[in-house]
Amino acid sequence: QVQLVESGGGLVQTGGSLRLSCAASGRTSRMYTMAWFRQAPGKEREFVVLISWDSGSTYFADSVKGRFTISRDNAKNTVYLQMNSLKPEDTAVYYCAARQDGAYYSGGSYYTGLSQYNYWGQGTQVTVSS
């Protein structure tokens, strides 16, 4: 089993920045594809971004492209989400997810579905005030 713990959430004003972290423990592997999802009140959980195990590939949702960046430190089993130019619509609980086989792309599509990830964190709240 793998445990994922997110941190770094909080309250920020529009235009501000936050950096989320996701620390993995347990039967971790550097081969995992890692992703961030988010869920706003009353809405379904949605994909935000993924990063391949070797950081060679990333894929962003259009809504965050150009504002968010993702990185990982495999030596620390940690993934980071840097969020800049935050907007009120970014308000959500942010979840870290891991896919254990290291795949992130198939059949012309990146893995952006909830069922495509094996492990999930408990989430961290991000609130952007207007």
Side-chain angles (χ1 to χ4, degrees):
Q1 282 285 11
V2 173
Q3 292 78 44
L4 303 175
V5 178
E6 303 94 336
S7 62
L11 174 64
V12 64
Q13 292 185 334
T14 295
S17 297
L18 279 176
R19 188 194 196 203
L20 305 184
S21 298
C22 171
S25 61
R27 296 185 63 181
T28 58
S29 169
R30 298 183 178 184
M31 298 294 292
Y32 288 0
T33 295
M34 301 297 295
W36 288 93
F37 288 74
R38 67 186 181 185
Q39 187 166 18
K43 295 188 177 182
E44 294 185 350
R45 194 172 300 188
E46 65 175 8
F47 170 82
V48 176
V49 60
L50 67 80
I51 185 168
S52 62
W53 70 273
D54 62 353
S55 302
S57 293
T58 58
Y59 180 70
F60 293 84
D62 288 343
S63 58
V64 305
K65 202 172 294 183
R67 300 187 298 121
F68 291 12
T69 58
I70 188 171
S71 61
R72 66 190 294 167
D73 184 339
N74 286 341
K76 296 181 179 180
N77 292 322
T78 302
V79 178
Y80 306 97
L81 179 65
Q82 178 67 43
M83 306 185 294
N84 299 326
S85 302
L86 283 162
K87 306 174 181 180
E89 50 264 44
D90 294 317
T91 295
V93 177
Y94 282 71
Y95 297 90
C96 177
R99 181 182 170 95
Q100 63 186 17
D101 68 358
Y104 57 89
Y105 184 88
S106 178
S109 298
Y110 286 91
Y111 286 169
T112 62
L114 276 66
S115 63
Q116 293 173 313
Y117 291 84
N118 308 102
Y119 303 105
W120 292 84
Q122 293 301 307
T124 185
Q125 176 71 47
V126 171
T127 303
V128 184
S129 63
S130 58

